[in-house]
């Protein structure tokens, strides 16, 4: 490669999201990854993943796997079985369906965002009949609508209800306990399947108490490890359905995986080093305390980001217009905002924000503050956003960051005990 006049190898120019050629910046410091997932990986977890690989048929691995499964049960808040797959969350979606249903079964799906639609598309491709409850992507699943639909299903044709607990694409959270109470009032036998991929380990989730039949989760969000592990937490009712289910299955078969809960050994090669990382991540959650983890995420959403929003947009009315979820049911992991200044923020400040998905593409960006995250990281993120707005000439009122800082650290506050 030819060198330039000062002896440096020239960097290739790159194209920004708007199609313009931009001069590459000399990136120093650490990249700010503030997307809703995959999330930042703690150094402790990275070091754990980097350990030498061990024999997955040996006693050391069996001990590791059983330890991790036991730790996962406390995160799901369940005494039921949890199985772990080497896959993304999409695999866990499929596992939930093929282990409990039969060809042509009808399921009820609540549309709360992009990922709920993907789950429905997966179910349709597998031959299930999907009855969708349309949504505006600004509110969670309605318990009243669910009760109405199930009450009308006199012959109980619907075999499962599919709900995304916390929609990564929209910042919408559904009240799972309310949905279960609606199902119980109807006396309907449908299984309740919940996608907790972005909520597990970061907000309140109670598999047993809420009577969830299958919880779907994955590794790359609140559990703070790279993509590649997924999970099903399984109720006794779902295990009974498994005995009657007629969908073909092999890789996703619960029965083979359930044996690993007893022995620690997998029916196929496991993701050994990711499981090392998961063990370390679970230890970090125990050290902080699960309830403290929940409070931290809640605090960053309800006490910090809305104050920034009301400070940075032109007026409070404009702020409400620009917040994707204008209600008390903000996601405690991300706030979705209606503006378009993501390209200059990445180009100039090396800060990655989540882009809009589906019908929100090119209309919103998403601030991810999920997993391994603290106050200073969030203030840096908000500073980058406000600077990006200036560069992109997005109309805004100065002082949004300062408004957030005053809320976060009021004068005289004991910073040793954040509330």
């Amino acid at each position: 490669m030819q060198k330039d006049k000062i002896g440096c190898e020239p960097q290739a120019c790159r194209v920004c999201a708007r199609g313009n050629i931009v001069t590459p910046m000399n990136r120093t410091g650490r990249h700010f990854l503030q997307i809703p997932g995959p999330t930042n990986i703690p150094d402790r977890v990275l070091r754990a993943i980097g350990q030498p690989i061990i024999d997955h048929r040996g006693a050391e691995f069996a001990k590791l796997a059983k330890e991790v499964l036991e730790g996962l049960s406390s995160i799901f808040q369940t005494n039921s079985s949890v199985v772990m797959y080497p896959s993304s969350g999409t695999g866990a979606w499929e596992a939930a369906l093929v282990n409990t249903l039969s060809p042509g079964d009808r399921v009820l799906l609540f549309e709360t965002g992009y990922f709920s639609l993907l789950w429905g598309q997966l179910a349709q491709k597998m031959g299930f009949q999907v009855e969708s409850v349309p949504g505006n992507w600004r509110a969670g699943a309605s318990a009243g609508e669910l009760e109405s639909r199930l009450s009308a299903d006199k012959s109980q044709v619907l075999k499962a209800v599919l709900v995304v607990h916390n929609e990564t694409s929209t910042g919408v959270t559904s009240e799972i306990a309310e949905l279960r109470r609606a199902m119980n009032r109807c006396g309907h036998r449908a299984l309740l399947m919940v996608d907790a991929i972005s909520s597990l380990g970061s907000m309140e989730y109670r598999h047993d108490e809420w009577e969830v039949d299958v919880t779907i989760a994955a590794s790359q969000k609140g559990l703070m490890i790279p993509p590649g592990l997924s999970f099903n937490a399984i109720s006794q009712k779902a295990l009974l359905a498994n005995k009657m289910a007629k969908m073909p299955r092999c890789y996703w078969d619960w029965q083979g995986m359930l044996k690993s809960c007893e022995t620690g050994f997998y029916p196929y090669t496991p993701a050994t080093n990711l499981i090392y990382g998961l063990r370390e991540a679970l230890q970090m959650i125990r050290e902080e305390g699960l309830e403290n983890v929940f409070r931290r995420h809640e605090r960053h959403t309800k006490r910090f980001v809305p104050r920034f929003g009301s400070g940075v947009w032109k007026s409070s009315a404009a702020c409400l217009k620009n917040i994707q979820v204008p209600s008390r049911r903000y996601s405690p992991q991300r706030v979705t905002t209606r503006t378009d200044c993501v390209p200059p923020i990445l180009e100039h400040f090396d800060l990655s924000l989540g882009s809009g998905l589906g019908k929100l593409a090119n209309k919103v960006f998403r601030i991810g503050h999920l997993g391994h995250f603290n106050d200073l990281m969030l203030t840096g993120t908000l500073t980058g956003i406000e600077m990006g707005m200036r560069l992109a000439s997005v109309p805004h009122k100065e002082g949004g960051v300062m408004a957030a800082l005053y809320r976060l650290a009021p004068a005289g506050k004991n910073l040793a005990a954040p509330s």
Side-chain angles (χ1 to χ4, degrees):
M1 178 180 291
Q2 184 178 4
K3 294 187 177 182
D4 62 20
K5 293 181 180 179
I6 60 174
C8 297
E9 293 180 351
Q11 295 172 298
C13 291
R14 57 193 176 89
V15 180
C16 76
R18 296 176 179 173
N20 300 322
I21 303 297
V22 297
T23 302
M25 60 186 293
N26 181 20
R27 294 176 183 261
T28 60
R30 193 163 188 169
H31 174 63
F32 263 59
L33 180 70
Q34 306 314 150
I35 63 175
T39 62
N40 296 288
I41 310 300
D43 290 342
R44 282 175 58 177
V45 172
L46 289 173
R47 287 193 294 270
I49 292 171
Q51 294 181 70
I53 198 164
I54 59 174
D55 178 10
H56 63 282
R57 304 297 181 199
E60 184 180 354
F61 177 82
K63 180 181 177 182
L64 169 68
K66 287 191 284 188
E67 180 183 346
V68 165
L69 288 170
E70 182 178 343
L72 282 170
S73 295
S74 66
I75 304 297
F76 281 98
Q77 301 195 58
T78 183
N79 292 316
S80 300
S81 299
V82 178
V83 299
M84 178 167 54
Y85 295 99
S87 81
S88 68
T90 303
W93 277 347
E94 183 168 330
L97 297 173
V98 299
N99 278 286
T100 56
L101 302 176
S102 296
D105 275 353
R106 192 172 189 86
V107 300
L108 183 67
L109 172 78
F110 278 88
E111 180 193 341
T112 54
Y114 181 72
F115 290 99
S116 63
L117 291 182
L118 288 184
W119 195 6
Q121 290 169 12
L122 181 148
Q124 286 180 325
K125 288 178 180 178
M126 297 174 67
F128 300 114
Q129 300 180 59
V130 179
E131 179 181 324
S132 293
V133 180
N136 61 7
W137 292 28
R138 293 168 68 86
S142 165
E145 179 68 22
L146 176 59
E147 188 167 0
S148 175
R149 298 253 182 165
L150 294 184
S151 296
D153 182 26
K154 301 298 183 182
S155 58
Q156 303 216 3
V157 172
L158 291 168
K159 301 302 180 184
V161 175
L162 313 185
V163 182
V164 176
H165 181 212
N166 192 75
E167 246 295 350
T168 316
S169 65
T170 60
V172 163
T173 300
S174 293
E175 300 291 339
I176 303 302
E178 291 182 9
L179 297 173
R180 168 48 74 184
R181 285 192 288 270
M183 295 177 72
N184 290 346
R185 284 193 295 270
C186 298
H188 203 286
R189 296 190 300 271
L191 297 169
L192 176 59
M193 298 188 187
V194 178
D195 173 334
I197 290 173
S198 68
S199 55
L200 190 75
S202 58
M203 63 185 293
E204 190 72 41
Y205 191 83
R206 298 179 176 274
H207 176 87
D208 284 0
E209 183 179 320
W210 297 346
E211 300 177 57
V212 180
D213 293 303
V214 187
T215 298
I216 293 95
S219 58
Q220 71 273 17
K221 297 185 184 282
L223 294 179
M224 304 180 292
I225 64 174
L229 292 178
S230 67
F231 316 96
N232 281 172
I234 309 164
S235 74
Q236 288 300 313
K237 180 179 173 183
L239 286 175
L240 290 173
N242 176 248
K243 295 180 179 179
M244 305 296 294
K246 294 181 174 57
M247 284 295 293
R249 51 191 180 270
C250 177
Y251 184 87
W252 305 115
D253 189 7
W254 281 348
Q255 293 306 315
M257 297 302 294
L258 286 168
K259 292 178 182 177
S260 70
C261 297
E262 302 172 1
T263 65
F265 296 118
Y266 272 67
Y268 38 70
T269 306
T272 306
N273 285 56
L274 288 181
I275 298 173
Y276 269 134
L278 179 54
R279 180 173 65 178
E280 190 66 27
L282 293 173
Q283 177 60 29
M284 291 180 67
I285 292 172
R286 282 192 293 269
E287 290 171 4
E288 184 175 358
L290 191 58
E291 292 298 326
N292 292 330
V293 173
F294 297 158
R295 280 194 289 268
R296 170 165 54 83
H297 285 86
E298 193 78 8
R299 173 173 176 263
H300 283 160
T301 299
K302 291 189 174 180
R303 294 195 176 190
F304 191 18
V305 177
R307 180 61 62 95
F308 166 79
S310 61
V312 78
W313 280 286
K314 280 189 171 180
S315 66
S316 58
C319 175
L320 288 176
K321 181 181 179 182
N322 282 285
I323 294 292
Q324 172 66 16
V325 187
S327 75
R328 64 181 179 87
R329 292 181 181 176
Y330 288 120
S331 157
Q333 298 100 31
R334 68 201 56 79
V335 171
T336 311
T337 53
R338 291 180 177 272
T339 187
D340 183 23
C341 54
V342 175
I345 291 173
L346 176 61
E347 291 159 22
H348 293 277
F349 307 118
D350 201 14
L351 165 60
S352 292
L353 299 167
S355 58
L357 298 173
K359 66 183 181 182
L360 296 180
N362 301 316
K363 296 179 181 179
V364 306
F365 68 83
R366 296 171 294 146
I367 305 169
H369 47 97
L370 171 64
H372 187 56
F373 203 73
N374 61 29
D375 295 350
L376 195 56
M377 293 165 72
L378 189 47
T379 59
T381 301
L382 298 182
T383 300
I385 292 170
E386 189 162 351
M387 290 192 297
M389 286 180 172
R390 288 174 58 84
L391 287 174
S393 299
V394 173
H396 69 285
K397 183 173 66 176
E398 300 288 343
V401 171
M402 288 308 301
L405 292 178
Y406 290 145
R407 180 64 171 171
L408 182 66
K413 180 70 173 177
N414 179 9
L415 297 181
S419 59

